[in-house]
Each structure stands twice: as C-alpha cells, then as structure tokens.
Amino acid sequence: MAPLRFLWLCACLVAAEEFSLAGKSVYFLVVDRFARNQASNTTFCDLSADWINNTGGGYCGGTLNGIINRLDYIQGMGFDCVWITPVVDANGFMGYDAVNIFDIEPHFGTKEDLQRLSEQLHQRQMCLILDIVLNHMRPLVINGRVNLSSIIPFNQESHYHQRNRSHNQSFEEYLIAWPPPPFNPSEDNARLKKLKQAGEADCGHHVAEQTECACFPGNMGFNCPSLSPTDFSTGYLGVLGDLNHSNPFVRQTLLKWVHEMVQNYSLDALRLDTAVYLDRGFLPEVQEAAGVQVLGEATVNNLTFQASLMHGGGQSGLLGLLNFPPFYQLPRAFCGYRIGGDFGDYSLQGTWEDEANMVGLGSVLSLQLSSQTSNFDMMGNFADNHDEYSRLTYYCRYDTLRIRQALVWVFLSRGIPILYYGTEQGLDGHQGPENTKGQDALRESLWHTGYRTDTWQYLFVQKLNKLRKSLGIGVGAAEIKGTSKRTLVFTRETAEADTVWVFLNNGENSTAMEGQTYCPGPAGHLRGRWFDALSGKPMTQHLKKGCFEAPDKFPKVLYRENGKPKP
C-alpha cells in the first residue's frame, strides 16, 4: 500500500502545481441566495434557518442552474473564479451542516448540475472553488432528541468527539447537557486585561502574537492559557456534530471524499471551513488528498499561529488561507466600525466610533508583510463575508468614498481579492421589513436587484479587476510605506520590476473634493510621468518634497507611464 499511496500523493502535488489561485480574483456567493431558475423572479428573501430546535431549513430557492444562467454577470466584472458555499445534502440553506456528504442538496440541483457549472466556468477560462466542511456535521440534537441514523456516513457515537463526557453519562445526556466549550474566553480575557493594565503583557495591532486585545480561537499562547490546542480541535463548535478525526473510518472517509469531489467535478480549488478547529496534523493530509490548492478559514488574530497553518518554509500545511488579521482591522480603519471588542467586551459591537483610524490596519499589514513567513499571494483578502457582523455597505454607512477606499485595498493589496456577492449592488444586510441584524440577514437574495450592470459598484469592481491585470500586480511584493490615522500608503511591485503606489484615506463623502497629503510618495524626478490609474489623470505635478499632495480624497493608484499606454 505504501508505494500506491506515495504515487497518489505525488500525483496530487503535481496537480496542485498546474493551477494556482495566486493572481486570481474571486467572487464569493451563497448558492441559495444568488440566483433562482426563474430569471424574472424579483421577490426579496432572507429567510432564517431554525437555530433553536436545529431543524434547519430557510431555503429561498437559489440553484446551481441559476448560477450558470448568471455567469455573464459575474464574468462581466472581470472575476477569474467563483467560490460557492457547500452544496452537499444539508440541514440548512447555508450547507455547512451536512446530513449526507455523498449527495447534492436537492434544493440546489443535482450532481449533473454541479458538473455543468464546472464545465461552463472552464469554457470561460474561469475557475470553480467549492466550500467544504470537514470539522463537523449537522447538529446531533434536533427537537430535543438525538438521532444519528440519518447522518451519512457518520452515524456512530464513536464518530464524534466526546471531550469531558463523564463515565455515567449516556451519549444523549452528554449532548443535551451541552458539551463544554474547548476554552474559557471570559476567564482569559479578564486575565489579559489585568496583565495589560499592570504592564505585564502587551497586545494590540503592534503585537504579532496578539493583534487584538482579546482571547478567542487562534489567539493561543501565554496570555490566553485556557486555549489549549488539544481541546481546541476536540471540542464542540456550538451544537454541531464535531467529527472525531482520530477515528480511522472518519479520517480516511473524509480524505477519500475530498479527493473524489475534486476529481468528479473538476474542481480548481477548495475553501476549507473552520480549518482552525481541525487537528493540526490533519491539515496537510487534507491538502495532499485534495490535489488542488486549499484556502483555509482560520479566524485568527495571531500572525505567528496563522503562518504555522500554511505550507512552506520547511513545514507542512494548507497552501492558502483567508486573511483574517487585517480584516479585523479594516472596518475601523475605513469606517470607524466596531467589529469586535477589547478583552471580550462585545457590548459595543456593531456601533461606530467617533472617528475612523487607519493605524491598526497599517500596523498589522506591516507586521505581516515583514515576517516573510507565509506566501502572501495565497492569502484571501476581503471586506466582509457571510459570517461576520455586517456588510461593507452598512458598516461604511453607505458612504461611497469610504466604500471605494476599502475596495481598492481588497483588490490591490497583496493576496487574492474576494468580493462577497451583492456588494456590487449595494446590499447592506438590513433590507428586510424589520431592518433585522444577524448572520442570516447578511445572506439575502440577489435576484431582487435585477442583476444591474450599471451600478457604480459593479463598474468600480470591473475597473479594479482590469487594473490588477494591466498593471501586472496580481502577484508580487508589497510594502507598507506609511500609515497615519487618516491615510495608508503601500506599494506593489509589478511583473516588470516597476513600482505602483496606492494611496488610501478614510475621508467621508463630504470631504471628497478636499486635498489630501500623503507621505511618503514616489520621487517625482524619476524617469517617466506619473498617472493615476483610476482617473487617468497626470499626477507628476502633485509630487512635492518626497510627498504626494493629492488634489482630492478619492483613492489614487500611481504608476509611471514610461512611454506605455495607460491602463
């Protein structure tokens, strides 16, 4: 068996080298909410699943064929790849709580529909990223009763972790009593706060091991001692059935399933849900079994721990990650929005500070880029998603200038830009009749917008995708040149060894026509004239004394013409 396994792993690694997400841009959509089969349907929908009795549901009618019918819409923005939420037979509309991993969710379509979506994307020279879940299955307790028989193929008690189950507890009693969490964030946060106040510990955007002053998954270390790596990977994620990867049947079945999904549907890459909760030794096995690049979800703010999850530098791991540390800073940087809470105090989450502040974002990016411990071209950058507290449009209070600034960062910073569906239509996650908040509200339907291609957001995303390609900055080095409360300046090295300068600020719409000084800026005496790639206007005259005195507050992307046509 060893020689066969060796050949299989080699073949997988070769396949992973044939295609790379590096340099690509990604459109991320929720299958159930993106497009129905009926092209004329305009009824708004943001149904919630049943998270109380765990009966799931919440389907609005989006399908795989609906996606196929709207590929022109996605490709029109210039995206290279489409990332779709899980499509396996599941308990609820999001698909992250599988019931049967071997079937396609009937609400979405059939296996043939998924194959057809893959084929249609490849005919357009686009790629398909499928979201997969290996950490858990659907809740094991539904309507107050335990029923494993309907879960395929993991229908035995031994298939699930049972950490801290007492010897006199039945499996049902253990589950209904609510399994203990794998860590105690309240205790850790109280301890961290005391250490910080006493000057015995430091935390915040200037500390690589703890870029936020809070203890939560991914912040394991001296200052958060209850976050045991072992408990972390063997504990429960809410009420979901937490799979026991030490069980040979579970481990081998999942690895075989991953490999077959890639092969059967010609998948170009995978997005791995809750990767941070998986056993550290299991991640490289998943990467090898996939044979394509895996982009892991690691909701961490510890840059050192984040780097340890990635393959490279003599260590094994995933080939890519979603880039959460800068994301946690981004809403405050551009829009003054609180997405978290210091020392675990989330009472102000979802509110705004008096002023936006770019320092935290710039600091985290500087720490990250200077570490040189990860492949930053394989980190996915984003401004919002399906899980966090708010959409970009809402947390920027519909301020188009600030939204533009954030989108420029997503698309032009080093990494894989990811746009959450509906951003191009101004979806805000609060369109329902009661202006509801919460995760399900962030997963609203898109069809009621009519898939307009003339919105300013659609056209702006289209322009940013074109600029990435025309400027040659899909991959390549980046450097943070300057950060202040109001500004962020960074550079990107082009494929032709030239330098592109990006200038961002957090000014509001009312200040759009006011000038903005950035320091440093490119030296104006360098050969060639400087232009702003976004407006097409010459900017050489605004380069003064080592700084850039921009004529307005719109984002600027400066490049040297050098006799070549402008983007």
Side-chain angles (χ1 to χ4, degrees):
M1 291 299 293
L4 290 176
R5 182 175 184 274
F6 175 76
L7 290 173
W8 173 61
L9 294 182
C10 288
C12 290
L13 291 174
V14 169
E17 294 175 358
E18 293 176 353
F19 169 85
S20 179
L21 287 173
K24 306 295 190 297
S25 61
V26 176
Y27 186 80
F28 168 41
L29 62 86
V30 174
V31 174
D32 183 63
R33 304 298 161 92
F34 179 72
R36 290 171 169 169
N37 290 340
Q38 304 94 329
S40 61
N41 197 309
T42 59
T43 304
F44 174 82
C45 184
D46 67 348
L47 292 177
S48 296
D50 175 10
W51 307 120
I52 298 175
N53 299 308
N54 301 322
T55 57
Y59 293 94
C60 282
T63 66
L64 293 167
N65 281 326
I67 299 172
I68 294 172
N69 294 336
R70 294 295 177 181
L71 289 182
D72 283 347
Y73 171 83
I74 299 173
Q75 191 174 28
M77 283 180 278
F79 285 102
D80 302 297
C81 300
V82 177
W83 158 19
I84 64 174
T85 47
V87 295
V88 297
D89 186 10
N91 194 47
F93 74 93
M94 287 299 291
Y96 294 95
D97 49 359
V99 173
N100 182 349
I101 64 173
F102 300 123
D103 278 346
I104 301 299
E105 170 56 49
H107 286 90
F108 301 156
T110 65
K111 294 179 179 180
E112 290 73 23
D113 293 335
L114 182 57
Q115 289 171 336
R116 189 158 47 251
L117 173 60
S118 179
E119 292 168 359
Q120 290 289 318
L121 284 167
H122 292 153
Q123 287 177 15
R124 295 166 179 263
Q125 304 302 306
M126 296 173 70
C127 52
L128 176 60
I129 305 170
L130 179 66
D131 214 323
I132 62 170
V133 184
L134 304 181
N135 179 70
H136 54 267
M137 299 291 283
R138 70 148 169 82
L140 303 183
V141 180
I142 296 180
N143 283 325
R145 299 301 302 271
V146 175
N147 180 2
L148 301 184
S149 61
S150 63
I151 302 178
I152 300 173
F154 307 118
N155 54 16
Q156 303 296 319
E157 293 181 12
S158 61
H159 295 160
Y160 299 92
H161 285 129
Q162 299 166 49
R163 187 177 59 81
N164 290 348
R165 174 183 171 185
S166 65
H167 68 279
N168 59 350
Q169 269 186 319
S170 69
F171 188 60
E172 184 171 49
E173 289 171 337
Y174 169 71
L175 293 175
I176 293 176
W178 191 278
F183 52 90
N184 186 344
S186 298
E187 178 182 299
D188 274 1
N189 277 304
R191 179 180 183 276
L192 178 61
K193 185 175 183 178
K194 289 181 180 179
L195 290 173
K196 172 74 172 178
Q197 290 173 339
E200 298 176 18
D202 198 8
C203 56
H205 55 75
H206 56 287
V207 181
E209 284 71 27
Q210 198 156 28
T211 57
E212 292 187 57
C213 288
C215 296
F216 61 84
N219 234 18
M220 293 171 284
F222 174 76
N223 294 330
C224 302
S226 82
L227 293 175
S228 161
T230 301
D231 289 350
F232 200 46
S233 61
T234 60
Y236 272 71
L237 181 64
V239 298
L240 296 166
D242 196 61
L243 289 167
N244 178 9
H245 301 94
S246 66
N247 181 300
F249 174 77
V250 172
R251 199 178 194 98
Q252 294 306 315
T253 298
L254 288 175
L255 293 174
K256 185 173 183 289
W257 175 77
V258 167
H259 181 71
E260 291 178 349
M261 286 294 288
V262 171
Q263 298 301 311
N264 292 343
Y265 300 104
S266 301
L267 303 177
D268 299 289
L270 299 173
R271 183 266 191 182
L272 177 59
D273 183 69
T274 51
V276 72
Y277 288 93
L278 292 168
D279 179 81
R280 181 66 182 79
F282 187 51
L283 293 179
E285 294 182 22
V286 173
Q287 180 59 78
E288 291 174 342
V292 294
Q293 291 171 330
V294 178
L295 200 62
E297 179 198 28
T299 49
V300 305
N301 65 19
N302 181 328
L303 295 176
T304 304
F305 180 64
Q306 180 193 49
S308 74
L309 298 173
M310 290 191 75
H311 181 85
Q315 67 183 26
S316 58
L318 301 177
L319 292 175
L321 289 176
L322 295 176
N323 202 6
F324 274 88
F327 163 72
Y328 288 137
Q329 304 289 333
L330 189 143
R332 183 186 185 199
F334 290 105
C335 305
Y337 185 77
R338 298 181 178 94
I339 198 171
D342 284 347
F343 308 111
D345 179 8
Y346 295 102
S347 61
L348 296 176
Q349 186 182 44
T351 63
W352 289 267
E353 299 176 337
D354 292 337
E355 294 182 297
N357 192 329
M358 304 280 271
V359 172
L361 176 61
S363 182
V364 169
L365 289 170
S366 293
L367 284 173
Q368 192 175 57
L369 292 170
S370 63
S371 68
Q372 299 181 344
T373 56
S374 301
N375 180 1
F376 299 111
D377 291 323
M378 282 299 298
M379 285 190 172
N381 296 318
F382 54 98
D384 54 12
N385 63 23
H386 58 319
D387 281 336
E388 300 301 334
Y389 204 73
S390 183
R391 277 184 175 269
L392 171 64
T393 298
Y394 180 79
Y395 73 66
C396 283
R397 301 193 195 190
Y398 311 94
D399 190 301
T400 58
L401 180 59
R402 288 179 159 181
I403 294 170
R404 286 176 189 270
Q405 307 278 0
L407 288 174
V408 170
W409 180 83
V410 169
F411 279 83
L412 301 188
S413 59
R414 188 173 186 183
I416 304 165
I418 301 171
L419 187 81
Y420 186 40
Y421 83 102
T423 302
E424 73 281 2
Q425 297 294 337
L427 295 188
D428 64 5
H430 294 74
Q431 297 98 317
E434 299 179 0
N435 192 31
T436 54
K437 296 181 180 180
Q439 285 186 338
D440 284 340
L442 306 178
R443 304 158 176 175
E444 66 269 61
S445 62
L446 184 64
W447 43 78
H448 66 280
T449 68
Y451 305 95
R452 291 178 55 187
T453 59
D454 61 351
T455 66
W456 75 261
Q457 299 97 323
Y458 186 99
L459 296 173
F460 193 59
V461 168
Q462 184 183 71
K463 175 176 282 190
L464 292 175
N465 266 322
K466 287 181 179 177
L467 284 184
R468 277 171 49 82
K469 293 180 173 66
S470 63
L471 293 173
I473 56 174
V475 297
E479 182 180 354
I480 304 301
K481 290 291 189 178
T483 308
S484 71
K485 188 174 183 179
R486 298 295 184 195
T487 64
L488 174 66
V489 180
F490 65 91
T491 58
R492 295 296 311 277
E493 296 302 312
T494 73
E496 298 176 347
D498 208 346
T499 302
V500 172
W501 288 69
V502 181
F503 299 90
L504 304 176
N505 66 80
N506 52 24
E508 299 176 87
N509 270 335
S510 60
T511 68
M513 301 315 297
E514 298 176 5
Q516 178 68 61
T517 298
Y518 302 90
C519 293
H525 66 274
L526 290 175
R527 179 182 170 187
R529 295 186 299 164
W530 289 88
F531 286 85
D532 172 29
L534 288 170
S535 67
K537 295 179 180 180
M539 289 290 153
T540 308
Q541 70 273 28
H542 298 289
L543 302 177
K544 301 176 182 179
K545 298 180 181 180
C547 295
F548 172 41
E549 297 182 4
D552 55 56
K553 281 190 165 57
F554 286 97
K556 296 287 185 288
V557 181
L558 268 58
Y559 73 101
R560 284 189 297 164
E561 186 181 40
N562 286 333
K564 300 174 185 176
K566 292 178 285 187

